Amino acid sequence: MRLPRFLLARVKPKASDVLTCYLQQRDLPPWTSYFVKYHSVKNDQFGLSHFNWRVNGQNYHVLRTGCFPFIKYHCTKRAYQDLYFENRIYTVIKIINLGFPTLTYGITAHMLIKHTETVITPQGNVTLHFLYREDRGALH
């Protein structure tokens, strides 16, 4: 007996895998900025706001924030730096303001998103959302 599709638990990719796969899919761009819906991924980077992320020998500084219904990523290719202090500062700021600005950002982004792309991961495809289509060769 086959179960109806809605009863089968979909294996969600980890947010970190989506980040890595997208940077690889884009051939390690100098920068990128995207939104991914919370329900599309396992949020394995919870608590990380500013951190280093290595992909194929390249380092990225990643600014990440939850902005319901999305998680926002801004990635810039840069040399490794100790971002512990910055990560803690951003986290404290989010706690102090009770998340209202990030919620507002998420709701506003939902209305402003103009472009989507699909990331292929081993656990399945994930749709990323962009405020505009990125110029593939742009440095900024």
Side-chain angles (χ1 to χ4, degrees):
M1 179 175 147
R2 287 182 67 181
L3 291 174
R5 191 171 184 191
F6 70 90
L7 292 177
L8 298 174
R10 178 178 170 263
V11 177
K12 296 179 187 180
K14 296 186 289 186
S16 59
D17 290 341
V18 172
L19 173 60
T20 298
C21 289
Y22 182 64
L23 292 172
Q24 290 171 332
Q25 188 173 305
R26 286 276 316 274
D27 295 322
L28 305 175
W31 74 277
T32 189
S33 180
Y34 66 85
F35 297 86
V36 62
K37 289 193 174 181
Y38 270 108
H39 70 78
S40 299
V41 296
K42 283 190 227 170
N43 189 8
D44 66 325
Q45 295 172 319
F46 181 82
L48 294 175
S49 297
H50 194 200
F51 56 96
N52 290 287
W53 195 255
R54 287 194 70 73
V55 179
N56 297 358
Q58 299 293 315
N59 190 68
Y60 285 85
H61 286 202
V62 179
L63 285 165
R64 178 193 171 282
T65 193
C67 49
F68 189 81
F70 302 103
I71 304 170
K72 167 70 174 183
Y73 284 84
H74 186 279
C75 312
T76 306
K77 194 185 291 187
R78 294 183 56 189
Y80 176 88
Q81 285 181 274
D82 182 3
L83 300 174
Y84 176 82
F85 183 71
E86 288 90 342
N87 183 55
R88 292 293 174 225
I89 293 284
Y90 286 124
T91 301
V92 167
I93 290 170
K94 290 180 201 178
I95 291 169
I96 289 171
N97 67 36
L98 303 175
F100 290 121
T102 56
L103 176 61
T104 303
Y105 187 30
I107 292 168
T108 303
H110 204 351
M111 294 182 282
L112 296 175
I113 286 172
K114 303 282 189 244
H115 179 69
T116 61
E117 290 185 29
T118 302
V119 175
I120 300 165
T121 75
Q123 296 82 23
N125 296 348
V126 175
T127 301
L128 299 184
H129 304 268
F130 300 82
L131 296 179
Y132 56 87
R133 185 182 181 105
E134 294 179 354
D135 181 359
R136 296 289 173 144
L139 296 176
H140 307 289

